[in-house]
Amino acid sequence: MPESYVPKEAIGHGDGGSAALAIGEAESLERRPGAAPPGGGPPGGEPFGKPRSLWSDAWHDLYRNPVFVVSALVIVFLVIIAIWPQLIATGNPYRADLAKAQQGSQPGHPFGFDTQGRDVYTRVVYGARASITVGVCATTGAALLGSLLGGLAGFFGGWWDTSLSRLADIFFGIPVILGGLVFLSVVISTTVWPVVGFIVLLGWPQVSRIARGSVVTAKQNDYVQAARALGAGNGRMLLRHIAPNAIAPVIVVATIALGTYIALEATLSYLGAGLKPPTVSWGIDISTASTYIRSAPHMLLWPAGALSITVLAFIMLGDAVRDALDPKLR
């Protein structure tokens, strides 16, 4: 037996996290190349019954979940048509023919025409680009900003934690719709970025609280205390030990929030404070069609249906991810 071999039975169990690290080191030595596994088996082989990680276990549950599969396929389809709408819509969303205003379905125009004679089908397909862009960019910005601020507050605590909590309370007190009407009413840009910035501004406090709670829980674990005792710096503990074990709740909240942000963009656009023409948006088309719901209901039903399916797909995806990443729900 090599001199470096340390049987884990010789290690005491009263040393807390340090003993756990030592046992892990002993087990890694037992599984070194050329050695027989403790439970038997060929030398150099993999140990029998190797446990899966949280992420591999979650993925094992996800691809067996029909809710996740269906919602993921819908989202992939929406992302594809948002990037390349020409794949399924060859028309021009701005082309108008007043002679066909408010007419119903016709050959080559399955969704009919709007008040200006524009093809509703083409506008529904092109409208996915604005909604997906706002949802993805706003969610990414809110998740990164909230995770950074909340993670630092949970790790360092003290005055930083107190200041961030009070700042988050201020933002929580701002009504989202009213704040959007006030903030975006002074913006004259027709791009999606003012809407993205507003959603990030009001969306990061929710993520920061989730991230803070996850970091506070993770930093109390034995492996973090052992890493601190072994001299690991704050950056190494945050990136190597805490962040990988605290990111799961943030991913769940961000996935569900993405659908909510898409609905928020459509609501603000409907009220005239979000995206503005000539941008093609489901919210803008719904706002225009609401006046003609009795005479031309197809103008409202198709963009509203596309919006509902998109929001529902992201919420269902978030629920499936939450069920897979939360051990309490297994």
Side-chain angles (χ1 to χ4, degrees):
M1 180 181 297
E3 294 181 358
S4 61
Y5 179 77
V6 181
K8 63 181 180 181
E9 292 80 2
I11 301 174
H13 296 278
D15 297 329
S18 299
L21 287 178
I23 291 175
E25 183 67 19
E27 290 177 345
S28 66
L29 289 173
E30 290 178 353
R31 295 193 298 266
R32 72 192 186 283
E46 291 293 328
F48 296 118
K50 184 178 180 180
R52 294 194 299 260
S53 66
L54 172 64
W55 301 103
S56 61
D57 198 26
W59 172 247
H60 181 268
D61 290 344
L62 282 175
Y63 76 80
R64 294 171 178 267
N65 187 347
V67 174
F68 171 80
V69 173
V70 173
S71 59
L73 290 176
V74 172
I75 291 172
V76 169
F77 173 75
L78 290 170
V79 171
I80 291 176
I81 66 172
I83 300 175
W84 300 290
Q86 301 86 355
L87 292 176
I88 62 173
T90 58
N92 187 339
Y94 302 105
R95 182 178 179 181
D97 185 357
L98 292 177
K100 298 181 179 180
Q102 301 186 34
Q103 292 184 9
S105 176
Q106 296 180 7
H109 307 279
F111 293 176
F113 299 88
D114 65 3
T115 56
Q116 299 183 31
R118 297 172 299 189
D119 185 26
V120 175
Y121 170 77
T122 304
R123 292 187 63 82
V124 168
V125 173
Y126 276 81
R129 174 176 293 177
S131 296
I132 297 296
T133 301
V134 170
V136 172
C137 294
T139 302
T140 302
L144 291 177
L145 181 61
S147 299
L148 177 63
L149 297 179
L152 293 177
F155 183 77
F156 291 106
W159 67 269
W160 175 260
D161 188 13
T162 303
S163 300
L164 181 70
S165 298
R166 301 292 77 79
L167 181 63
D169 290 340
I170 294 175
F171 281 95
F172 274 122
I174 301 176
V176 177
I177 302 299
L178 180 60
L181 292 175
V182 174
F183 178 82
L184 296 174
S185 62
V186 299
V187 177
I188 60 175
S189 175
T190 59
T191 65
V192 300
W193 303 116
V195 180
V196 171
F198 168 74
I199 295 177
V200 171
L201 185 64
L202 292 188
W204 71 265
Q206 179 186 13
V207 180
S208 70
R209 287 196 171 182
I210 300 296
R212 176 191 174 278
S214 298
V215 169
V216 169
T217 301
K219 75 175 184 179
Q220 298 174 356
N221 292 327
D222 290 340
Y223 57 84
V224 177
Q225 302 301 326
R228 188 188 300 274
L230 293 173
N234 290 335
R236 181 179 180 83
M237 284 190 294
L238 273 171
L239 297 178
R240 290 289 302 275
H241 301 287
I242 294 180
N245 296 282
I247 197 65
V250 175
I251 294 176
V252 173
V253 172
T255 306
I256 298 176
L258 202 156
T260 304
Y261 293 159
I262 292 176
L264 177 60
E265 176 272 318
T267 303
L268 293 174
S269 298
Y270 176 84
L271 296 174
L275 302 180
K276 299 175 177 62
T279 303
V280 181
S281 167
W282 291 334
I284 295 175
D285 288 351
I286 292 173
S287 177
T288 303
S290 60
T291 308
Y292 305 93
I293 187 172
R294 292 187 177 182
S295 59
H298 64 275
M299 293 171 46
L300 175 65
L301 295 179
W302 291 114
L307 175 64
S308 301
I309 292 174
T310 303
V311 174
L312 181 62
F314 279 106
I315 292 178
M316 291 172 58
L317 182 72
D319 288 340
V321 173
R322 179 199 60 195
D323 296 342
L325 292 179
D326 192 349
K328 297 178 181 178
L329 300 177
R330 296 182 184 277

